[in-house]
Amino acid sequence: MNRNSSFKSNKPILYLIPTPIGNLEDVSTRTLNVLKEVDYVFAEDTRVAGKLLNLLGIKKHIVSCHEHNEKIASKEAIKLLKEGYKVAYMSDAGMPCISDPGSILVKDCLLSDINISSISGPNAALNALIASGLDTEHFYFHGFLDAKESVRKEELRNLYKRKETLIFYEAPHRIDKTLKSLFDILGSRRACIARELTKIHEEYIRGNLEEFLSLDKESLKGEMVIVVEGNSEEISKMPEEKDIVNLIRNFENMGMSTKDAIKKASELLNLPKNKIYSLYHRN
Ligand code: SAM
């Protein structure tokens, strides 16, 4: 057990600093004060951190700590903390450790008996979730899906039965492929694309995954979070895509035309014919 109070302890503290995800006004007074107070800022990208500190009128020693050198940088941070220096860590945007570096630093600091204090602030996943209109009671944060289609689809198959609202991060150059995989595997669930959060072009697109397939990709620029409805009772009652296709093939094998097989499957499963038609022709 490790029980540490952040403010009533003489132990060194590593501060985890959230940074704006687009809007400089999201820097809180507390973030500002901690940044002024510390001696060293460890950062995912020293240029990005330098720019932010410059805008805030703060001058500090900035040390690089990114996914490829985090283990070595952690040692340096721990040494400084043990020598009595105050240290903060920031990633490029949002909360450190959330699809960003920082976790190794936190774990190593804890192993070296250093306290951790997280400063509250912007996080794209939570900003998107609370405005999505979907269930916020229980949610599952997945972050980025794999770039490779087969791996991405396998990840989604593993998520299919989760009842919690699902949250994904995505980059604009992969959004169309990801939206297609989401629809192919999860079906037409309600969803929300939260784009350019906190920025001038902030936009929420609320609808369902099937509708999202017809979105003009040119209009999906910038940074995005995709929030998707979890598996509801209604959805779980739906047979899986492969079972529907098998059912149609069975009817065909019995001598029915594809058109009749689709009609029959639609009657049997009480699902719209056009839905079964598009699903069948996708496979
Ligand atoms: N650590 C960050 C956080 O706390 O949100 C996330 C960093 S991750 C490398 C970057 C991803 O976060 C982007 O690809 C996008 O999915 C999401 N993101 C970051 N800023 C965003 C914004 N302003 N609007 C929408 N999504 C954003």
Side-chain angles (χ1 to χ4, degrees):
M1 181 152 39
N2 173 315
R3 192 168 169 177
N4 277 312
S5 76
S6 295
F7 306 110
K8 292 183 211 150
S9 161
N10 295 324
K11 283 188 192 170
I13 301 184
L14 170 77
Y15 292 99
L16 298 174
I17 306 279
T19 51
I21 55 170
N23 193 324
L24 193 61
E25 289 179 19
D26 283 341
V27 174
S28 71
T29 309
R30 182 148 179 251
T31 293
L32 206 57
N33 287 341
V34 172
L35 282 174
K36 280 181 190 161
E37 199 187 301
V38 296
D39 304 295
Y40 288 86
V41 173
F42 278 60
E44 180 183 8
D45 186 324
T46 52
R47 280 165 312 170
V48 174
K51 243 188 228 167
L52 177 65
L53 292 180
N54 211 15
L55 284 167
L56 300 173
I58 298 173
K59 215 169 156 41
K60 293 287 155 176
H61 300 290
I62 305 176
V63 184
S64 162
C65 175
H66 48 75
E67 61 171 324
H68 303 296
N69 76 343
E70 199 173 341
K71 202 74 196 160
I72 296 167
S74 294
K75 283 205 176 100
E76 202 177 336
I78 291 166
K79 185 170 164 282
L80 289 166
L81 283 156
K82 293 230 155 157
E83 285 171 4
Y85 292 105
K86 292 186 171 147
V87 177
Y89 181 68
M90 59 163 74
S91 54
D92 287 355
M95 285 279 171
C97 313
I98 303 296
S99 299
D100 262 346
S103 304
I104 294 175
L105 178 61
V106 169
K107 283 177 196 149
D108 286 356
C109 280
L110 289 173
L111 287 174
S112 299
D113 207 20
I114 286 161
N115 278 358
I116 310 289
S117 186
S118 67
I119 310 301
S120 37
N123 165 249
L126 291 181
N127 275 44
L129 172 72
I130 62 172
S132 67
L134 299 170
D135 179 35
T136 55
E137 187 126 8
H138 303 287
F139 57 89
Y140 170 85
F141 172 72
H142 190 83
F144 290 97
L145 286 159
D146 203 273
K148 205 167 159 212
E149 187 182 4
S150 57
V151 183
R152 183 165 68 235
K153 287 194 162 174
E154 191 50 36
E155 284 178 85
L156 288 169
R157 274 185 210 104
N158 291 334
L159 297 180
Y160 183 86
K161 289 197 172 144
R162 292 202 84 111
K163 292 190 168 29
E164 306 93 338
T165 302
L166 309 170
I167 309 175
F168 303 96
Y169 281 164
E170 198 43 280
H173 64 278
R174 282 213 303 255
I175 187 71
D176 50 342
K177 290 189 177 129
T178 296
L179 287 177
K180 182 155 185 330
S181 299
L182 283 167
F183 175 64
D184 285 352
I185 305 299
L186 301 181
S188 190
R189 302 186 186 186
R190 288 190 303 147
C192 172
I193 299 175
R195 207 172 65 78
E196 293 289 82
L197 291 165
T198 78
K199 306 181 196 177
I200 192 92
H201 295 299
E202 176 177 289
E203 182 187 27
Y204 298 96
I205 310 170
R206 299 182 182 89
N208 64 52
L209 290 174
E210 186 165 17
E211 287 170 330
F212 287 175
L213 296 183
S214 59
L215 282 169
D216 172 14
K217 299 307 163 299
E218 282 305 300
S219 70
L220 294 180
K221 294 229 164 86
E223 308 207 75
M224 266 161 275
V225 181
I226 313 164
V227 188
V228 182
E229 180 182 26
N231 195 327
S232 61
E233 231 166 76
E234 209 177 295
I235 293 170
S236 52
K237 269 190 213 139
M238 281 246 316
E240 285 194 33
E241 205 164 279
K242 62 174 179 9
D243 297 327
I244 300 178
V245 174
N246 283 340
L247 182 68
I248 297 169
R249 295 213 171 113
N250 282 342
F251 287 144
E252 284 175 331
N253 290 340
M254 285 158 66
M256 277 188 202
S257 67
T258 304
K259 195 174 159 217
D260 287 344
I262 288 172
K263 186 166 173 260
K264 182 93 183 150
S266 124
E267 284 162 5
L268 209 68
L269 300 169
N270 199 21
L271 288 171
K273 228 183 347 181
N274 57 353
K275 196 167 189 150
I276 304 243
Y277 179 89
S278 58
L279 180 152
Y280 178 73
H281 284 283
R282 253 203 330 265
N283 282 274

